[in-house]
Amino acid sequence: QVQLVESGGGLVQPGGSLRLSCAASGSIFSIFVMGWYRQVPGHERELVAAITSGGSTNYADSVKGRFTISRDNAKNTVYLQMNSLKSEDTAVYYCNAGSGDSPDPFLGYYWGQGTQVTVSS
């Protein structure tokens, strides 16, 4: 009943920037928290950042100061601005959404299809 469509992934050099977008559609009346997870093959998905409809945020320690999460409630869209990218940021990034009321911890019920981010010189 809820679909999450991601865009913005791609190839970027170390130190570069990339902006991910995730648009939610369908029965979204109970979507209060949205965020981003990432996954490297052979590893578990890890939370990158999350944000509530009220603007409260949570970031993984590894991305604090470099990544910024934001959302446009009117457009049902969440963004992830990624700056100063490192090779270790290479992963598939997944949009996540749920009905919880806290960004920490956060694990939503709905998932996007994932978008590849590759950081390489």
Side-chain angles (χ1 to χ4, degrees):
Q1 294 184 333
V2 174
Q3 292 184 343
L4 304 175
V5 180
E6 300 143 320
S7 62
L11 175 65
V12 65
Q13 293 185 348
S17 298
L18 211 58
R19 187 182 188 230
L20 306 182
S21 299
C22 173
S25 62
S27 301
I28 58 176
F29 300 102
S30 297
I31 300 299
F32 300 122
V33 187
M34 300 182 71
W36 297 89
Y37 277 76
R38 66 186 181 187
Q39 185 173 26
V40 177
H43 297 263
E44 296 292 326
R45 291 186 188 183
E46 65 172 351
L47 178 66
V48 178
I51 186 169
T52 69
S53 59
S56 297
T57 59
N58 179 45
Y59 295 93
D61 289 339
S62 60
V63 306
K64 288 181 179 177
R66 300 188 298 120
F67 291 9
T68 302
I69 189 170
S70 62
R71 66 187 292 171
D72 186 331
N73 291 327
K75 297 180 179 179
N76 299 312
T77 301
V78 64
Y79 307 93
L80 185 67
Q81 179 66 47
M82 304 183 292
N83 298 325
S84 302
L85 284 162
K86 306 174 181 179
S87 296
E88 49 263 45
D89 294 317
T90 296
V92 177
Y93 284 70
Y94 295 89
C95 184
N96 187 225
S99 59
D101 59 359
S102 176
D104 182 20
F106 169 62
L107 179 60
Y109 181 80
Y110 303 101
W111 292 93
Q113 78 286 349
T115 184
Q116 177 71 48
V117 172
T118 301
V119 185
S120 180
S121 58

